[in-house]
Structures are given as C-alpha cells and as structure tokens.
Amino acid sequence: MRLRKLVTVLVFFITNVILNFSDVVTDGMTASALAEHHVYWATLTITWVFAPFLFHLASIFLKPIREWKHGLKEALCHFPLVVALLNSYATFKLSQIKYSDSMPVGLLREIEEIKMQAGKLTQTEAFIESGPQLILQIHIILCTGHVETTQLISILISLISLT
C-alpha cells in the first residue's frame, strides 16, 4: 500500500506541479533570451503565459453580475504559477489520505475530487497556454533560423503538457 500511495502522489506531483511550474519558468526564460534581439517575440511569449488568466478574467463579463466574485476567484487561480501552488496543496492533501486495500467510498471520492480539480486547472493551462506557446516557439525558430536552448526545453515541456 505504501508503494501505491507513493506512486500515486509522485505521479500527481510531477504531472500537476512540476510540469506546470517548469512550463511557466521555461517560457519566462525563453522570453528573456528572445528579448535581446526580438522584443516582439519575447512580448508574445510572455503574453501566452498570461493567456489563461486573461481568458478567465474576460469571461467574467459574460456571466451575471452576481457570479463575478466567483469568476474573479477562478481567474486568479490561473495567474502564472498559482496553478502550481494550488496543485502543491492538492498533492499535500492527497498524501494525507490513508491508503488501504479496501478503501471507504468517501476516501475514494475525495481522491477523485482532488484529481479532478487539479485536472481542470491543468487542462486549461495546457490548451490556452501550452498549445499556442508550442506553436509560437516553433514559428519563431522557423522565422529566425536560430534556436535557443530554452526554446527547445520550452517546446518539449509544452508538448508534454498537451499529452
């Protein structure tokens, strides 16, 4: 049981915290490297990092006024690196659950809820940030004919985030 719990928590941490954190950090590093010679590419790279937050912020205005507070809270969850922090807390909660061969339905529901919430956050980041960022970095390489190491790492992490 300890091995099952360890594997579950470790896989959750890697896919929902490390991957998300690495994606944002490598995109920032890529933007920094591009800023020396290609300010527009650097700006666009940073813009995609903030895209999930901006998307959720803009979507507030499509909701009734009484739901704006909830919408703002949801938007703030997608501010860069906040997803990694929220999923770190979810990893902690997942690690506190007592695993056994015959787990009560309540604990199984709790595990499922933790994974579902993290999945929703991570999915939004992948499709609104990682996908466009992947395409942008490939486009920049094709246009400039120059490849930064951080770009290659960013491309790889964005691709993994989408899978």
Side-chain angles (χ1 to χ4, degrees):
M1 255 335 98
R2 284 178 168 252
L3 181 60
R4 180 174 141 199
K5 179 179 179 177
L6 180 65
V7 169
T8 300
V9 172
L10 192 59
V11 168
F12 182 88
F13 183 71
I14 290 169
T15 57
N16 292 291
V17 177
I18 298 294
L19 196 58
N20 183 275
F21 179 81
S22 300
D23 192 25
V24 173
V25 169
T26 57
D27 290 343
M29 291 169 61
T30 298
S32 177
L34 288 170
E36 289 181 36
H37 305 294
H38 305 284
V39 176
Y40 295 119
W41 291 129
T43 304
L44 196 51
T45 299
I46 289 298
T47 301
W48 282 119
V49 171
F50 285 89
F53 168 71
L54 296 172
F55 172 80
H56 283 87
L57 192 62
S59 72
I60 291 172
F61 301 107
L62 300 175
K63 299 176 181 179
I65 292 175
R66 67 182 179 279
E67 294 180 22
W68 283 12
K69 184 178 177 183
H70 174 73
L72 182 59
K73 180 181 172 187
E74 188 176 321
L76 290 173
C77 288
H78 291 282
F79 198 79
L81 300 177
V82 173
V83 169
L85 289 172
L86 292 172
N87 285 340
S88 293
Y89 177 67
T91 303
F92 172 75
K93 285 181 10 183
L94 197 60
S95 73
Q96 297 303 302
I97 295 173
K98 305 286 188 221
Y99 282 67
S100 63
D101 286 331
S102 57
M103 293 178 69
V105 174
L107 285 181
L108 293 173
R109 246 188 238 123
E110 186 179 347
I111 291 170
E112 188 65 29
E113 181 65 28
I114 291 169
K115 289 181 177 181
M116 189 171 66
Q117 290 292 69
K120 284 180 183 178
L121 288 172
T122 307
Q123 178 186 19
T124 302
E125 297 295 310
F127 288 112
I128 299 177
E129 191 264 333
S130 297
Q133 191 71 259
L134 172 67
I135 294 167
L136 174 65
Q137 294 309 318
I138 291 171
H139 181 75
I140 291 170
I141 290 169
L142 293 174
C143 286
T144 63
H146 180 73
V147 182
E148 295 284 341
T149 304
T150 55
Q151 279 179 302
L152 292 176
I153 295 168
S154 179
I155 287 170
L156 180 62
I157 290 174
S158 292
L159 186 61
I160 293 169
S161 293
L162 286 168
T163 58

